[in-house]
Each structure stands twice: as C-alpha cells, then as structure tokens.
Amino acid sequence: MSYAAYKMMHLPTGVDHCAAGFITHSPSDAAAFSSSPSSAAAPGPDGDVESAAARAPRRVGPTPNLVVAAANVLEVYAVRADAAAAEDGAPSSSAGAVLDGVSGARLELVCHYRLHGNIESMAVLSDGTDKRRDSIALAFKDAKITCLEFDDSIYGLRTSSMHCFEGPEWQHLKRGRESFAWGPVIKADPQGRCGAALVYGLQMVILKATQVGQNLVGEDEPTRALSSVAVRIESSYLIDLRVLDINHIKDFIFVHGYIEPVLVILHEREPTWAGRISSKHHTCMLSAFSISMSLKQHPMIWSAASLPHDAYQLLAVPPPISGVLVICANSIHYHSQSMSCSLALNSFSLQPDGSPEVPKTSFHVELDVAKATWLSHDVVMFSSKYGEILLLTVVYDGRAVQRLELMKSKASVLSSGVTTLGSSFFFLGSRLADSLLVQYSCGTSTSVLQDVTDESADVEGDLPFSKRLKRIPSDVLQDVTSVEELSFQNNMVPNSLDSAQKISFVVRDALINVGPLKDFAYGLRTNADPNAAGVAKQSNYELVCCSGHGKNGTLSALQQSIRPDLITEVELPSCRGIWTVYYKSSRGNTTEDNEYHAYLIISLESRTMVLQTGDDLGEVTETVDYNVQSSTIAAGNLFGRRRVIQIYAKGARVLDGSFMTQELNFTSELSLTSEPLAAASASVADPYVLLKMVDGTIRLLVGDHSTCTISVNAPTIFTSSSERISACTLYCDRGPEPWLRKTRTDAWLSNSIAEAIDGNDTSSHDQSDIYCIICYESGKLEVFEVPSFKCVFSVDNFVSGPALLFDAFAHISTKDNAIGSQDATKVSMKKEEANNIRIVELAMHRWSGQFSRPFLFGLLNDGTLLCYHAYCYEGLESDTQYVPLSPHGNAELGNANDSRLRNLRFRRVSIDVTSRDDISNLSQPRITIFNNVGGYEGLFLSGPRPTWVMVCRQRFRVHPQLCDGPIVAFAVLHNVNCCHGLIYVTSQGFLKICQLPSMYNYDNYWPVQKVPLHGTPHQVTYYAEQSLYPLIVSVPVVRPLNQVLSSMADQEFGLHIENDVTSADDLQKVYTVDEFEVRIMELEKPSGRWETRFTIPMQPFENALTVRIVTLLNTTTKENESLMAIGTAYVQGEDVAARGRVLLFSFTKSENSQNLVTEVYSKDSKGAVSAVASLQGHLLIASGPKITLNKWTGSELTAVAFYDAPLHVVSLNIVKNFVLFGDVHKSIYFLSWKEQGSQLSLLAKDFASLDCFATEFLIDGSTLSLAVSDSDKNVQIFYYAPKMVESWKGQKLLSRAEFHVGAHVSKFLRLQMLPTQGLASEKTNRFALLFGTLDGGIGCIAPIDELTFRRLQSLQRKLIDAVPHVCGLNPRSFRQFSSNGKAHRPGPDNIIDFELLSHYEMLSLEEQLEIAQQIGTTRSQILSNFSDFSLGTSFL
C-alpha cells in the first residue's frame, strides 16, 4: 500500500451545537407562514381566510429555524407543526397528544452542507426586529469566523463575511503558544449590534454589525429594502484582555437592558486546584464591560468578586428582569448591576467567610456540564449530566429579584446542547443519544389544558409519518411514552399566574444518532443468504455497534444496503416490466391510502400475464380482456381508479375490471397510408396518458371523466419543430393547493378563478394541475401545461446539470451568463463525448406533506442521476420587460408570458448513486416512484445497481440494494398477505415479493436498528458459529458510601480506616459506581428482536476492559478451540496496586443445557488486562505494561514469551506471526513471534510520542502497512523497511501517509475488498479498513493503485480551486496533520480525500469535461474510478 483513499460512508450524527434563528424567513413572515391547514385550504365563497384562521385555537407563535452542527456537517431545519383537526370528534389516528392546538410537529430539512473543518462554536446573529432575518456565525479551529445568511435565490446559505486571525500577521496574538485548551468561542449581542469571539485564550474579537439603514451593497438598490435582508457584519477589531488584567476566562456573554452592548466576562483571578479547595475556594469574578464600537473603548461598568471556583457558565436573563445568572457545579448565583442573590444546590457548596446564609434546594443536585435555555422570560430549563430536566424560576416582583427556585421535572436524554424554538418548542441536541424536538406548554390553568389534551386529533394525509413516529427508538425519553404528557406541579406561588405553574412536554420528533461508536463487530443478518457470492454476499452482513452512554446506551445494528424480507419467489424468465393497478368496482368511499391492489400485470418479451392479487396470486390471463398477445409498455389507473389503461406498442385498451370498454389503435397522421405507428414509452397521470412514439414524436391520450373514454390528441406544437425528444413525462401537481401555481406571475389571479371553475365532485379541495415535462436531444428542458400545451417553463442546458434551473424567458439579468455557457459548450464538443450525453428518462413528483415541494429527476445515458428540488423565488426582476422571443413564434406573446412559471426555480441536490453504465437504449423505465412501502415514500432506481431513494423530512436517504444483482422491474404491492410491500424481478429471471424489514429506521445515512441497553456498552465481538454477540455493559448503581470505602481499601490496610471517616452523617451519603457485566446477545431469527441469552457479572469494582473470541490450540488434545476471553481490571483508587483477571469461557454445543457458556479458566494478573488476542493458537495477553504469550493446555495457561511495553497497551492486532500494538502515550510497536526460539522480538517502533486510539494492519497484495489513529483526530500509516537508510537499520517505522480525519477514530476493522473491473483486478489480496468515530461517523481507508491515485490526486488539487467551498474553508489546511503544538516531522501526502472529490459530480457537465481535460484524462475515466472504489468498499 503505497497509496490510500479516505471516504466517509456514514456522516457524523452526534449533535455538537444547536441554535435557533429566523434564517429562512423573518419573524413577520413566520406569522403568516405557520397558519393552520384550515386556512391554508382554499378560501370559502366570500373568500374570508381570516375567519378560518380565527376558528383554530392556536397559541403557537412564529417558530424559528433550527440550526444543527454535527462535527463538520451543518444542517438547517424548519419546524412544521400540524394543527389539530377541528372538534368534530374524528377518529384519532394522530401521532401524539394535542397540545396548544398542535397535534404533531416535525423537523424538515432546508439545506445541509459538509464543511472542510469542524465547527467549534456557533451563534445566531439576530437584531430582534420583526423585519430582518438572522445570520449564522460559525467559528473554526485556531481563529476563523464565517457568517452565513440564507439566500432565497439559491435556496441555500451564502457566506456574507469571513474573518481570519491566523497567519504571519496575526502570529503575535498567540504569544508564543501553539496549543490552546479550547477552540474559538463565539457569542452574539441579543439586539444584534455586534458579536464577540474569544480566540487564542485571551483575545476578544468584536464583530460590528451593519446598522439597519445601510447595506454593504450600497444605496442604489431600492429593491433590497423590500426583501428582508439578514444581519451582516461590517468590521471587526481586537481587544487584548491581558491589558484589562484578566487571566483565565471561563465564559462570557452579552446581557440585556443597556443602551450599548455590555459584555460580562466570568474569569478566575488566581487559579486553584483540587488539593487547595479547603483554603482557597472563591476565586472567580464577574467583570462587565460596555463596548463602544465607534470609539473602540470598553470601560468596566460593574464587577462582582468572590464567586465559587467551580463557576463555569453565564446565562443572560431576558428582559424585563435582565442581569446574569452564574451557573456553578454546586450553586447558582444571580448578579446584576444593583443586586445579587444565590441558591445552594447540595452540601458541597461553600460560602465565603462572613456571608449570610444561602437558601438551599429541597433536593440534592449537581449542575456541572449542564446545558440551559430560557423557556420564558423567567423560567430557565437545565438538562443535567444525568439527563434530568430541571426548571429554575427567577422570582421577580417588578423591582428586584427575590429568590431563585429550582424544581425537578422529567428525565430525558443526555444532551450536548439545548435551544428554545419560538414560544412552544425546544430542541435537545445530544452526542450520546437521539436528539429530540419537544413541544412544551406553559399552561395558564389546568382546566384549559385538560380539555386540549383530551381532544381527539387527526393528522390528515400524513399517514406515513405517524407510522414512522411509532418507530422512534425507545431511548427517547425513557420514562415516558411519546404521547404521555410530562408535567410537574409547583407548590410555591411564583411571580404571576402565567409563569411556570404547569409545564407539559410532548416529544414530537427525533433525529437519529448512532454515536459515539466505541466498538463494533461484523456479523450476519437474520435474513442472510448462504449461497450469495460477490457483491450480493456483502449484504449478508451488518455492523453491530456499541453506541451511546449511560441510560442512553444502545446496541445499534447498521446496514449500508437494504435486504428485503422475502415472502415468496417465482421463476419468471425474460420479464420486461411489472405494474400493479387498483380497481374500484363502484364509487365506494374506501380510503385511498389503504386500498388493496387488484391486478398485477407482468409484461414478458412477446406477451402479457395478468394476475389477480386477492388472498393469493392467481393467474387470470385467459379470462380478462387485456391484450395478452403482445408485451405491455405501461399500465395504470384512470378516472379515480375506476378504470385501468393498458398501453402496448400498437394501441391502448381501457378496462373496467376485467372487461374492455374501449380500444384505440395508434396511427401516424403524417403519412397518408395510415400505417400503425408504435409507441415506445408512456407516462400516466389521471386523466391523461403521454406517449412517446418510436419516431420521437409524442401523443397525448385525453380522458373524459363523464364517459370514462379516451381520445388521441397529437399536440401541434411539436409537429412543426425539428428537435427530437429524448425523454418526456407527466407531472400531476395535486393537493389542496397545487404547488406550481404559486410560482406563476399571476398566481393571485388564477387561484380565485380556478376555485370557481373547478366545481368537480371530489370530496376534499384537492385540485390537480397536470404538466408535461419534455427534454430534447439538445439537452433543453421544457414544461408545458396539459392539455393546452402552452410552454410555461424552459431551461436551455438541462443535460449538463447546472446548479440552478430557472425559466430562460423570465430572467434578463442572467442573459450574459447564459451566453457564456453556450460558448463553453461549443468548445467542449470537440473535446469529448459531451454531444453523446443525453437524458434518457425524466420523472417529477411531489411527496406528501403540507410544505413539501416537487423533485425533478433526470437519468443520463451514462448512468448519472440528476436530482433537483423545486423552490419558489420571487425575483427582483419581476417588473422588467420580457425577452421578446417565443420558442415557436407565437403571436399572443403577451398572454403566453403572463402564465409562465416565472418564479419557479430548481436547485441541484447531491445524491450518491453509483450506478455507472452505458444506457444506450432504455428498454424499460428505471425510476419507479412509491408512496408507501413499509411507511416510507420515495423512488426506486432499478438497473445494474438498484437503489432506494427514500424521502424523509424533504431530504434523500440513499440505500443501495445489492442482494439480488441487477433488477429489471419494480412495483409496489399492497394486499392482504403483503402489507405495503414490493415486487421486483431480477435479471436472473426471478420474481420476488418482499417487504421492507420493519425493525429498521431508514431515516438515517444507513438503515439502523437501535436496541436500548440501559447501560453503557464498551466492547462487542461476534461469535460466528452460534451467531452470538458478547458485549461489555456497565450500569451505574447507587451504593452507600461506607460500603464503597470499606471495599476500596486494600486487605492489609482494612483495619486502619479512621473512625471519623465513617461518622454518622456520612453513613447517609451515597456514591454511584459502575457495575460491569458481559452480556451475550443474540438476534432472534424470525422476529428480528435482540434478546439477552446469558449474563456474566463481574466482581465489585472490577471493570471488564476487553472481550474477544480467541482460537487456541489445546496442547493436550491437539485440537483448536474457540473460547471467549475477557480481560478485567480492579479500580480501587490510586493507593492500591492495580490488578486484573483473565477469564476464559467455552460455549456449550448442546441446545438444551442451562448455561450458554461455562468458565474454563480464571487467573489474577498483576496489571490491568487491557487487550487479548490469539496468535497462531497461543493467547497473547496485555496486562499492565507487559505483553505475555501463553499456550493453552485445556485447563492451564503457561507463559512462553513476553515483551515489556512502555506504559499501557490500548489495542492489539495480529497478522500471521506479526504483532502490532498501540500504547497509550508511546505510539505503536511492531513485533514478530518466532516459534523456534519462542521469543517475541521487536522489529521496529515509531519513536515519536503519540496517544493511540486504535491500530490495525492495512494489507495491499503483499505489502503490509500499519495504521494508527490518535487523540488529535489524525490517522497515520507506517511501514517497515529495514533496507531503507532512514529507518536506522530497521529500528524505526517509516511514515507512508498521514491525514487529519477531524474525528476521534475509536476502532478499525479490516475487511477484504471486492475485486472490481478496473486495473486493480490482479491484486485480490486487498483489505480496506472500516472505521468508526466518536461523532457517529463511519468511513473507510482503502488501498488504491498508483495510476488511480495520481489521477485522482491531480483532480483533487484542481477541485480545491475550482469549487466554491462553503464558509470559505480550505480542504488542504483541514486535512493537514494536526500535531497540537508538539514537534512533528511532516510525512508524505499519500491519501486522497473522497470528501473533496465528491464535489466533482456536482459540477456541471462543461466544468467536468474542462477539468478532466486539464489534468489529462476523461470524465468517464474519473467517474469509473469513483464507481470502482465505491463498489470495492461496499461491505455492508
């Protein structure tokens, strides 16, 4: 392995930071935005929208966006609340209780970005007015600050300013230091006048915001004032806090209630430490500075001294109270300029000498590392380190703060951040559990709330989501079901009635998190297929991970690919397509959502089969009037599911059940002989069918609702044009408010008219507009209204996949842009196959949900899938005159332009679909849209690499399906035996009827099943012979203190415990200890549930450190045995010498025995046994600083060899007779074991100091490399080369590559790579490393050959400049080895970064060809390298 590639396969999910802000809309927009569905429905006859809104009792105010950061992923969500149905006693099918007139809420993704840098801190800049939007300020390592604002025209974030205090001219700020305890911290002034960032420990950067009157752009833009502009930063300057005599800053914050911004800093005047607390404990103080930005002065206006040494956080009290709360581990203090008061939380809180008595809470609580947010102006909510929710009321009588009151509420997740979203939601972000969106209500009186909660609720049309909510894993609010209301009573009367007397909580939504991944094992799935081979074999496996901590600890089973549960399969050769259709015999009012399918239509090469999908599938081909003599092109329902239409090459039939009511034959109008013209493909959208003929013309079949008949219509607009059509589809825009209507220029006009015309007898206000989308061979895309075929939208160069699509006739301002790209196309035509690339299939669909927007898909003939998400942008050019040219020289240009979808835009969405194959002629469509398969919606892409694209929260979740090889046809099936299932036909000719495995949650990067353990999992391993997973779990247990103390003391000193330690008041104290056990878990075969089969408890104070399955050679019987080895350590304080145990267990073979495992060996050892492994039938044990090799006699372990490690071994790996171990401080050692001299000898080591996290061998053919990850989030790869001069005659390991991952890699797993069609096929012995990180990310490091490496590395260097990076971050500096101030000699840069290379596919076609030509290769070569790599590393 001289060269490697790094790729993240599962992005980090642990939420580090969360914040709330009006990013995509201003608060005044939000008031209109969150109207209830009853008013969003069409207005009544008098058009009174107001009355409908007034009827709904709604107390939910405008809700801001949620901004979430997980490591280097930034996501912006919108909160969507569903109003409860009106009080008509409808049957309750809701997702939860009704609170404040809201029956459910969920987070919907607005945009997300992967940054080249980890977000250290985040703040929202807001000026508190109703008209302006907020911006996001992010701080990155060392001293980089970026401000982002939402740009409507691209429907995404745009950088508004960047501030960097690094490099030679800012070197003096570091004062000679290289490493700092924490990265930059950024906070914002509540009135939005400025922000402050603390960098390099003691440098405060003041970021001055622009005043409302002035813009950066200049005054010549009157239109800018109309749209709500976001808060922006105009300039910045530095304050050196050393000058102000401040040394050790703990926290800082801006406070409310002053004319100028006031910054309060919490700092420690002279430090103390644990051994000095008794004499020196009140060392912190507050200093408040008034920041005058125009004069750049900052006078101190007040200060408060003698705060406890454990103060760590400041909270600004909102007006009208204002002031600041200081949060300490054992007490809470309120301070303002004029007064102060405090509250002790437990018996550890000390008072300064001579101070008055401090009130205490009635219960004992510790508040260190608590997260806090304000629920109202006087109630602050804490999420403590044990996951309890505490509420603190600031009791205020209008003049002064009287006292502080704290009370306990319910338990929740262990959170890393918490933020209030508007007046009725808060979000608990967590790195250790799922993050929750919770609705709360400060009820005014209990009676009102009771009525609200008992009222039955109904979520209309959102069935998939309510089903999905039932699947939220059980680590969400453990003590509470997601419907039950959490409430608490406050016995003291607070300030006024509207304060927190009764706060109720309902969990509304959860974002899945699988971090922190401490360890994982690679085992078989329940539905694995033993006969699979090649890529299909990979989907037999799943990754079983230890994730979470404490009560949120879970076992997460992750799969990269979906393997459906098979119900039945039939052999069916040469199948071309399958369709399932509904049939309503009468116009009965059965619910649309739950109707069963009636017929399954299977198209073979020259005939068609029809099956009835009743209780079982029965063939009815002979008895129906379908055209069964030729193959079917498409089938679907028309006229509200009352008729079925079948389209074949020569014509179409309309059927009522099994009887034909009409038959049509296609003829060519142009030729006089009226010879039949064959259809090539078809798209059905009730009541129209669009046909694409063999000669590239199109026909429209128009249905008539009253007679249920159809007629052919050849649109004249296309007969005159010479351009050939490469793909076409129909899009049905339906719902109470068809979405595309909003994007018309005359939207306000058409809505009211259409209401009057559309008096059809559909039950709800569902209207549907049908559009026809056509792509020509030139790459131009046009959208037409149907059936008038008036062009409403056109884009010139759709095939090249530009980042944005907008109507070519509406935008003058982009004229120069368009011309430029035109020339580029002409040039690139000479270069390469650009002119051969065309769209072979189109699809457009809008999935369920009140706020959902349509997606547009285009499949290119090289296998690329283009995805676009529509949005509405009312541009500033809307008053300008139109481009005076019409596509076909229509006379009525004025009217034509009025109804164009001028405000419609599309934004390209990245989607990771790796099917690369040449689709020269598409025999059958590849994209199948489904609305309910197992409660999920999305699309299925068939072909050589079939892929599920699920739409959850308006974002794509891409899950490949590898288990059956290529899939030629797919259809949804919903009947008695197969509830919301699916049918597909493989290329081998098998028809399979399946269901999605229901235990998995697919709203994650990979499908995941989370099993709550109610304890912390530490290590897991897999025993293949019986498919068991032994894992180490620790559960916190509360013990009396004297019992803990007596067992901590060593046996010899047992008598000397002084009497004063166990005095009377100490007997009441308790202490929490972790109790360890090894659980043996199994995945039950049929049910898919996890069961604990056996538990091995550890002794008191004994921590299990490692569990592994080892294969040992029994020297008496000369047979190999598989045993489970456990290494433990006794933790008894620093006065007692460390010791541990080695335990060996054997698995019983018989089914009926009581014990699953029996202990066969146990031995005490002198140090902590931190790692075990089997080396050629011997057992290698790392105990303390010594590694011993033992042979196994069947009852005894006898030592054969040993090696002295430096300090403490953290990981141990073995290949053949080579041993690699990582030390906790001293980097890695490479040993070999020789049988004849029976000795473990050191081959080489890394002489640098390194805090290892995980180690593993990387194998590429015959070369062996050693990979190690460290505490500074790097990965290094070393190699052993004794012949090289610089290796000091082989003593020193040489560096082969180094890379900054940006996350702590806690585990490597070596897996064999699949051979691909590329150049690498001669090397079969290739292993990649799958790794898991503490942020919940999973990635791989894989060897690649030199030719691919050189090609992709030069592409990578190009992309650094060619792609505009979000936040202006430089990928090169992010991937630089981070030594954290320690001396480090830089190693070679031999790892390529797929995080950066993934931008290549998102460039437009011209740019891709341009870059490929510049580095001397072709686009198809680069894309096939990408697809080979992802094929070779699709392990799961």
Side-chain angles (χ1 to χ4, degrees), residues 49 79 149 250 495 558 573 843 984 1149 1220 1269 1300 1308:
V49 187
V79 180
E149 60 182 62
K250 294 204 157 186
N495 316 340
L558 287 157
Y984 58 88
K1149 298 281 186 285
L1220 162 67
S1269 67
H1300 184 67
F1308 285 118

Side-chain angles (χ1 to χ4, degrees), residues 311-350:
Y312 68 96
Q313 189 183 8
L314 295 177
L315 295 176
V317 185
I321 307 174
S322 66
V324 65
L325 281 177
V326 186
I327 313 300
C328 313
N330 306 313
S331 53
I332 299 177
H333 306 261
Y334 170 81
H335 280 274
S336 71
Q337 195 159 356
S338 51
M339 44 170 291
S340 66
C341 66
S342 56
L343 174 71
L345 303 174
N346 54 41
S347 54
F348 299 118
S349 60
L350 303 160

Side-chain angles (χ1 to χ4, degrees), residues 1366-1383:
V1366 189
C1367 295
L1369 293 165
N1370 187 338
R1372 275 186 62 187
S1373 72
F1374 178 44
R1375 295 309 183 187
Q1376 211 78 36
F1377 183 91
S1378 143
S1379 60
N1380 198 18
K1382 296 194 278 290

